[in-house]
Amino acid sequence: MLPNFLLHALLLATAALAARDPSYPACDTNANDHKMTKTGTGYSWYTTDDPVEYVAPGTGSCAYTYTDQSLVACLNPGQVNSAIVNGCHKWIELTNPANGIVAQAMVGDACGAVPNSTFGCNDVYLSKEVFVELAGDDSSTALQKGRLSGDLQWRFIIEPCKGCAMGYPGIFLNGTTDPCTGHDSHGLLRCGRSNLSGQDVNKVCNANVQTCPK
Ligand SMILES: *[C@@H]1O[C@H](CO)[C@@H](O)[C@H](O)[C@H]1NC(C)=O
Ligand SMILES: *[C@@H]1O[C@H](CO)[C@@H](O)[C@H](O)[C@H]1NC(C)=O
Ligand SMILES: *[C@@H]1O[C@H](CO)[C@@H](O)[C@H](O)[C@H]1NC(C)=O
């Protein structure tokens, strides 16, 4: 006979698994997909082939409310609630090969959940803030057209120091809660969650920080 708290934990685990939304095929193949690539820094890269658009803010499929200023990415349902390991609140890194700009965003919503959508597991839409950041000098044209001019590359990463310092919720690649301590995918030390912004984030997320303030 299992102790009561263990039974409870098992029931909760079963409930969490059962909560997978089977409406869309999963983009990940099994629970081991969260294992890192051999460099230990993150998943392998995806390349988009649908135009990268920006999405209207609101409360998304991850029950997370975002604004035009949020750092949010919207992925295929198979990467989010229909994934084997739900991607909600994981972090991704995006790079725009056209201008070399790199940005990070938290997965906050599902996109392409319409019949016959071409929006694949490899595709991404962005909140306005991240969209503008990645567009760089091209941002006014991109905003006018509602899409970036080329394809992006992106991959899942450990929540960056920046996300932790700004107090974003985040989860590890295996779906467990990320306490924001230890190093991120860029080797920057993360000193727990705070609610900093702007310059303060840059001060904290500095590669020279070797130990967390006591
Ligand atoms: C989706 O594709 C199927 C098969 O090609 C077609 O019959 C159907 O009308 C399409 N649905 C929409 C909403 O375009
Ligand atoms: C999930 O990943 C984190 C970070 O790699 C690790 O510390 C933790 O033990 C993992 N949890 C499970 C249940 O695999
Ligand atoms: C950050 O701010 C939010 C909203 O004001 C608050 O709920 C949260 O507790 C704060 N977190 C920390 C670590 O101060």
Side-chain angles (χ1 to χ4, degrees):
M1 182 67 191
L2 287 169
N4 212 29
F5 74 91
L6 263 184
L7 277 175
H8 189 59
L10 282 173
L11 285 175
L12 281 178
T14 312
L17 284 176
R20 175 180 178 260
D21 168 14
S23 318
Y24 298 89
C27 293
D28 52 345
T29 49
N30 62 63
N32 283 330
D33 264 18
H34 63 75
K35 287 190 177 152
M36 302 276 193
T37 57
K38 63 178 176 209
T39 52
T41 55
Y43 280 39
S44 46
W45 295 89
Y46 289 95
T47 304
T48 61
D49 56 7
D50 264 23
V52 178
E53 302 179 6
Y54 73 91
V55 287
T59 302
S61 303
C62 296
Y64 180 75
T65 302
Y66 57 100
T67 67
D68 279 341
Q69 286 74 45
S70 301
L71 306 176
V72 162
C74 192
L75 300 181
N76 185 287
Q79 298 279 22
V80 185
N81 294 319
S82 292
I84 308 282
V85 179
N86 194 317
C88 283
H89 300 174
K90 285 184 185 176
W91 277 74
I92 67 169
E93 171 172 84
L94 309 108
T95 171
N96 185 350
N99 56 20
I101 294 174
V102 177
Q104 290 100 21
M106 190 189 73
V107 179
D109 208 347
C111 285
V114 291
N116 299 354
S117 175
T118 57
F119 190 90
C121 290
N122 57 319
D123 285 309
V124 64
Y125 288 164
L126 301 166
S127 60
K128 194 174 177 184
E129 181 86 12
V130 187
F131 179 88
V132 166
E133 189 180 349
L134 284 160
D137 291 344
D138 194 32
S139 65
S140 50
T141 313
L143 281 171
Q144 218 166 21
K145 292 185 176 166
R147 53 169 66 182
L148 296 180
S149 55
D151 298 326
L152 297 180
Q153 291 174 311
W154 64 272
R155 62 177 182 158
F156 288 103
I157 56 166
I158 296 173
E159 181 168 3
C161 181
K162 180 170 74 174
C164 296
M166 290 169 83
Y168 277 81
I171 60 170
F172 277 126
L173 302 178
N174 61 16
T176 62
T177 302
D178 181 355
C180 272
T181 54
H183 294 88
D184 66 13
S185 293
H186 295 274
L188 296 184
L189 190 59
R190 307 172 312 154
C191 299
R193 294 197 185 288
S194 48
N195 280 330
L196 307 179
S197 59
Q199 287 192 325
D200 290 333
V201 170
N202 291 333
K203 258 188 252 164
V204 171
C205 295
N206 179 325
N208 293 329
V209 175
Q210 299 299 325
T211 53
C212 293
K214 287 279 168 342

